[in-house]
Amino acid sequence: MSLTTPARVTRPRYRLLAAVVIGLLAVVALSSCSTTPTAYSGKIRKTFVESCSTTTGGTSIPAKVCGCVYDKFKKAEPFKEFKKLQDDLRSKKKPLDELGPAGRKMVGYLDTCQQQS
């Protein structure tokens, strides 16, 4: 699967994507409670992984997979893309894989990390 080609979202996969979205939005909540972060940090990773791996709609993603998704995104994208993806999720209210290249990359990383675990 190409990271630039949107993948078909099935019902179980939708739940997994929802968990990743929750992780992203939790980091937004974290940043609204304090100074807005300008770079990746251990605190942001911890918040993302904890929120992402919380059971969502009967589906749970292992923390290892959530950490893998975060780490791959961090390695490939500058923090401003992570922040933009958070902002787009909040304002556009679209599925993650419909939020441009960064959203599709996040979906691709989820697929890759699940296969590796």
Side-chain angles (χ1 to χ4, degrees):
M1 176 183 78
S2 167
L3 292 181
T4 59
T5 304
R8 185 166 175 243
V9 178
T10 61
R11 183 171 290 282
R13 189 160 181 252
Y14 175 80
R15 289 187 180 138
L16 296 174
L17 290 174
V20 172
V21 168
I22 288 169
L24 284 166
L25 293 176
V27 174
V28 170
L30 171 72
S31 65
S32 67
C33 295
S34 61
T35 311
T36 303
T38 57
Y40 291 107
S41 70
K43 186 174 184 178
I44 290 174
R45 184 184 192 283
K46 181 178 182 221
T47 301
F48 178 86
V49 171
E50 286 176 352
S51 300
C52 170
S53 61
T54 301
T55 300
T56 305
T59 302
S60 180
I61 299 179
K64 177 181 174 183
V65 172
C66 293
C68 173
V69 170
Y70 178 89
D71 293 342
K72 286 187 178 297
F73 195 87
K74 176 185 174 188
K75 184 176 181 182
E77 300 295 325
F79 185 76
K80 68 179 183 176
E81 289 300 316
F82 187 78
K83 180 78 173 100
K84 182 180 181 313
L85 191 54
Q86 294 172 335
D87 295 342
D88 287 350
L89 276 169
R90 206 177 27 197
S91 65
K92 295 181 180 176
K93 298 187 181 1
K94 288 185 176 182
L96 188 58
D97 56 347
E98 292 180 17
L99 293 176
R104 289 189 294 272
K105 284 181 182 180
M106 186 74 80
V107 171
Y109 299 145
L110 174 61
D111 291 340
T112 300
C113 292
Q114 282 186 291
Q115 291 170 4
Q116 292 175 349
S117 66

